[in-house]
Amino acid sequence: MYPEPVRHAPAERAVTPYQPTPLPPAVVHPAPVVPVQPGTVPAVASVVLPDGRIVTGYAIDHPQPAPLATPPAVSRAAVNVALGGVGFLAVCGGLLLLTSFIAALTAFVSQLIILAAVVFGGWVAVQVLGAGGHKGGTTVNIRRAVIKRNHFHG
C-alpha cells in the first residue's frame, strides 16, 4: 500500500517543510443587520492564523444538553403497592357496610314476620274464642218460662 520508508542515520535526516495551500480571497457580501436588544450583543472573538491573518467573528454559544430527568424520590412499585392498599381498604369498608346492611335487612324482615304472626294469631284467637255467632245448643227464653216451687220448667 505505502512504500517502505527509507531509514537514514539521525544526522542525515532530511526535513521537509509542509506549507498550507493558500485559499483564494472570498467575495465578501455585506451581512444583513439584525436588530439586537441592548445587553444581548454577543462577544466578538479574534483568531490569529499561522500565516498571520486574523479572523474575527462572533462567539457561538454551544447548545446546552437538556438536564437529565431525576428519578422520582419514591419508586413506582411502592406507589402501586400503596394505591393497591388504599383500594383494598375502600373495598373492605364497602363490604363492611354491605354486611351491616344485610344484617339490618334480615332483622327488619324477621320483625315483620313476627308482627304478622302476632296479628294473624290474634285474629285466629278472636275467631275461635270470640263470643259472636251461634254455636249450637238450646236457646231458652226466660220471660216465658214458668217457675213453680223453685223448679224451672222451660
Side-chain angles (χ1 to χ4, degrees):
M1 200 188 267
Y2 294 106
E4 185 70 27
V6 178
R7 303 210 184 256
H8 299 282
E12 300 176 359
R13 251 192 221 162
V15 177
T16 309
Y18 291 98
Q19 296 293 331
T21 307
L23 296 175
V27 177
V28 179
H29 297 289
V33 178
V34 178
V36 178
Q37 296 293 331
T40 61
V41 176
V44 176
S46 297
V47 177
V48 179
L49 297 178
D51 61 352
R53 292 183 294 165
I54 299 174
V55 178
T56 304
Y58 292 107
I60 299 174
D61 293 334
H62 297 288
Q64 298 295 325
L68 296 176
T70 58
V74 181
S75 69
R76 290 186 185 268
V79 171
N80 290 339
V81 168
L83 289 176
V86 169
F88 181 72
L89 288 177
V91 168
C92 287
L95 289 177
L96 181 63
L97 289 176
L98 183 64
T99 54
S100 300
F101 175 74
I102 291 173
L105 185 64
T106 304
F108 179 70
V109 169
S110 63
Q111 288 177 356
L112 285 180
I113 291 172
I114 292 170
L115 179 64
V118 168
V119 169
F120 183 71
W123 181 77
V124 170
V126 167
Q127 296 299 321
V128 171
L129 301 175
H134 295 286
K135 302 288 187 268
T138 307
T139 301
V140 178
N141 192 346
I142 296 179
R143 283 189 246 162
R144 292 185 183 173
V146 177
I147 301 174
K148 292 184 180 177
R149 295 183 190 170
N150 294 330
H151 185 71
F152 176 73
H153 299 278

